[in-house]
Amino acid sequence: MTAITASEEIVLEQPCPIRDVLDRIGDQWSLLILEALAPGTLRFNALMREIGDISKQMLSRTLKQLEQDGFITRTLYPEVPLRVEYALTPLGHSFLEPMQQLVAWADTHHRTIVAARLQYQASQT
Amino acid sequence: MTAITASEEIVLEQPCPIRDVLDRIGDQWSLLILEALAPGTLRFNALMREIGDISKQMLSRTLKQLEQDGFITRTLYPEVPLRVEYALTPLGHSFLEPMQQLVAWADTHHRTIVAARLQYQASQT
DNA sequence: TCTCAAGGTCTACATTTTAGACCGTATAAA
DNA sequence: TTTATACGGTCTAAAATGTAGACCTTGAGA
């Protein structure tokens, strides 16, 4: 009864648009999910396998938030067994464009960062 | 004694460069700190004021991580009273370039997202 | 003497995330 | 027939993480 998830609290807009958007996106899992959906539609368990180390609860919660914010759609096929498909919306796709830049940056500078970590360690004696 | 902060655990590189980098950056505060330092050098308490709602501990911890990863420098002036200045490194600056794209995206699409949230709420009856 | 500021650390508490059991239906294997 | 699997989740208890705020040392100003 204590657990009121974000869905009911942070619905209205917040003072800073950037924080409003990035707080949601920069939450450890959202990005990974969006990237996983970039090539195409995936089902719940397929997403779990794709991402590898996300818990069911966090996947479920994060998918809800992404759906709520209009990044993805959730389509339920009332077959047996139940089938649920998640896919990027145009908004979700458009978001991935600037993200690709970031991913490219990360890829390019990863070695530099690892080197910095080692150097830092060394400097700490 | 239970608290072993990340500084000692996640030093070596991880399988996926993108996750390695984004896990650190996408942690609620790192981005905000980097953005705050974009215009120029700031001191610890100035950063606190600039960001507004970060705790001292998280600011301290996050600054250490950013320094460790080579995004910022920490310069101690052993004056009285003590002065400590934080500034972006070239790596930190270069990171902000792709970030600007993301920030611009957030700014542009913020209204769409807020609208999606309202519509979602409505659809949930 | 008291208060403030600098740049943090420490502790106790609150929030968030995790692992893993569980649910109901249906298919395939033993 | 019992067991095992898969689907898409939810629920609970425990672990991890984040928070607020007291505290620390040195020195200046009232």
Side-chain angles (χ1 to χ4, degrees), chain B residues 53-116:
Chain B
D53 55 349
I54 189 174
S55 67
K56 280 165 173 252
Q57 196 171 65
M58 283 314 290
L59 179 55
S60 177
R61 285 224 281 251
T62 310
L63 285 170
K64 259 178 209 156
Q65 288 187 1
L66 291 174
E67 187 196 356
Q68 185 177 189
D69 284 5
F71 286 90
I72 62 174
T73 55
R74 177 185 188 274
T75 312
L76 171 74
Y77 298 88
E79 303 169 354
V80 135
L82 199 56
R83 184 160 58 102
V84 179
E85 289 190 343
Y86 293 94
L88 292 181
T89 61
L91 184 73
H93 275 293
S94 89
F95 174 77
L96 284 181
E97 291 174 30
M99 268 314 298
Q100 296 308 341
Q101 309 267 39
L102 249 198
V103 169
W105 186 95
D107 212 24
T108 304
H109 295 82
H110 183 233
R111 291 184 162 282
T112 309
I113 291 169
V114 173

Side-chain angles (χ1 to χ4, degrees), chain B residues 13 20 23 28 32-33 42 49 54 58 66 71 115 122:
Chain B
E13 58 193 317
D20 187 15
D23 279 5
Q28 191 83 190
L32 260 15
I33 292 174
L42 281 179
R49 283 188 293 269
I54 189 174
M58 283 314 290
L66 291 174
F71 286 90

Side-chain angles (χ1 to χ4, degrees), chain A:
Chain A
M1 225 39 38
T2 53
I4 292 173
T5 50
S7 42
E8 295 177 294
E9 298 183 75
I10 318 172
V11 169
L12 286 176
E13 58 193 315
Q14 287 177 309
C16 175
I18 287 99
R19 289 187 67 163
D20 187 16
V21 173
L22 295 186
D23 279 5
R24 293 289 269 259
I25 287 310
D27 74 342
Q28 191 83 191
W29 297 120
S30 295
L31 279 177
L32 260 15
I33 292 174
L34 293 178
E35 295 275 1
L37 289 175
T41 293
L42 281 178
R43 301 171 65 173
F44 188 89
N45 283 330
L47 270 169
M48 290 229 43
R49 283 187 293 269
E50 189 71 20
I51 295 174
D53 55 349
I54 189 173
S55 67
K56 282 165 172 251
Q57 197 171 65
M58 283 313 291
L59 179 55
S60 176
R61 285 226 282 253
T62 310
L63 285 170
K64 259 178 210 154
Q65 288 187 1
L66 291 174
E67 188 196 357
Q68 185 176 190
D69 285 5
F71 287 90
I72 63 174
T73 55
R74 176 185 190 273
T75 311
L76 171 74
Y77 297 88
E79 304 168 354
V80 135
L82 198 56
R83 182 159 59 102
V84 179
E85 290 191 341
Y86 294 93
L88 292 180
T89 60
L91 184 73
H93 274 295
S94 89
F95 173 78
L96 284 182
E97 291 174 29
M99 267 314 297
Q100 294 311 339
Q101 308 267 42
L102 248 199
V103 169
W105 186 95
D107 214 22
T108 305
H109 294 83
H110 183 232
R111 290 184 164 283
T112 309
I113 291 170
V114 173
R117 285 181 195 160
L118 292 172
Q119 197 177 354
Y120 181 91
Q121 268 214 321
S123 76
Q124 299 305 91
T125 315

